[in-house]
Amino acid sequence: MFRFDLEPAIPLLTVIQKGVWTAATVATFEPAFRQELKRLLVSGRPTSLIIEIRATVPRDLLVTEALRAMVARLGHLNADRTAVVSSLGFADLQAGRISDPNTRIFTSIVQARGWVTNNPAESPGMTSANEPSDASPEGPVVHVRGPADVDFVFTPAAALETARRISDAAVEVLLETASATAQRVIPM
């Protein structure tokens, strides 16, 4: 359900959350999270936090409220900069709800890491993949994993629409490439 990766030299804590979360999961998560945040503060320098939720199922209101209450209780343990890494659609929904300028939502862990560490060189705008992604059913969602740091979940409807859009874009690129090649071969 969750995993921590502490890098005290930076200082950065990365939290990877997966699966279906319940209020009980939040209750189990909070003491472990507090312990990791205490370890993060030892450096005495400004701290950074990345929370990756791309492989979680969208949360219900009870879980969302439990997480909000947990964050409110953290007080001085809160990191100076927090990046949330989420799948694209979920990031769009949540972007309007975050008013803290030291918290941002990203769809790439690389971009999130670059922002929290103030190192834009670690934040390339886009990567290209020559390998297809894998998709598998996981409970009520479709989990997509692949190259270029792809790891997120879709509802079935969103997965079907995304597949259609990707297919349409790929056909358009192939047609444009074929047209450009034909124009170079056939003199006008």
Side-chain angles (χ1 to χ4, degrees):
M1 289 305 208
F2 55 87
R3 187 180 89 226
F4 301 107
D5 181 18
L6 180 65
E7 298 175 70
I10 296 178
L12 169 65
L13 174 62
T14 301
V15 180
I16 300 170
Q17 300 177 350
K18 295 185 176 193
V20 178
W21 277 51
T22 64
T25 310
V26 176
T28 302
F29 173 73
E30 184 173 359
F33 185 45
R34 286 176 161 281
Q35 186 62 35
E36 293 297 319
L37 288 171
K38 287 176 186 174
R39 293 176 57 205
L40 183 66
L41 289 175
V42 169
S43 74
R45 296 185 324 222
T47 58
S48 299
L49 173 66
I50 296 174
I51 302 174
E52 183 180 342
I53 61 172
R54 289 182 296 181
T56 62
V57 174
R59 298 174 173 148
D60 64 28
L61 186 57
L62 180 64
V63 173
T64 300
E65 290 304 319
L67 286 166
R68 281 190 188 133
M70 179 203 70
V71 169
R73 288 189 298 270
L74 292 176
H76 77 283
L77 293 177
N78 276 305
D80 295 299
R81 279 192 146 189
T82 300
V84 178
V85 182
S86 179
S87 59
L88 183 59
F90 191 64
D92 289 344
L93 290 173
Q94 294 297 320
R97 296 183 187 168
I98 295 180
S99 58
D100 181 357
N102 293 314
T103 300
R104 291 203 184 152
I105 296 178
F106 297 88
T107 56
S108 161
I109 194 127
V110 173
Q111 291 173 336
R113 186 178 175 88
W115 180 75
V116 297
T117 61
N118 272 327
N119 188 353
E122 294 182 21
S123 301
M126 191 180 301
T127 57
S128 177
N130 196 27
E131 296 292 323
S133 295
D134 292 323
S136 59
E138 289 187 11
V141 297
V142 176
H143 192 166
V144 178
R145 293 179 195 84
D149 204 26
V150 171
D151 187 1
F152 51 89
V153 293
F154 281 123
T155 63
L160 288 170
E161 179 60 20
T162 300
R164 184 194 63 77
R165 290 178 185 182
I166 290 171
S167 178
D168 289 351
V171 168
E172 187 173 325
V173 168
L174 290 171
L175 290 173
E176 287 176 8
T177 303
S179 175
T181 303
Q183 289 177 1
R184 283 192 301 249
V185 173
I186 303 171
M188 301 255 174

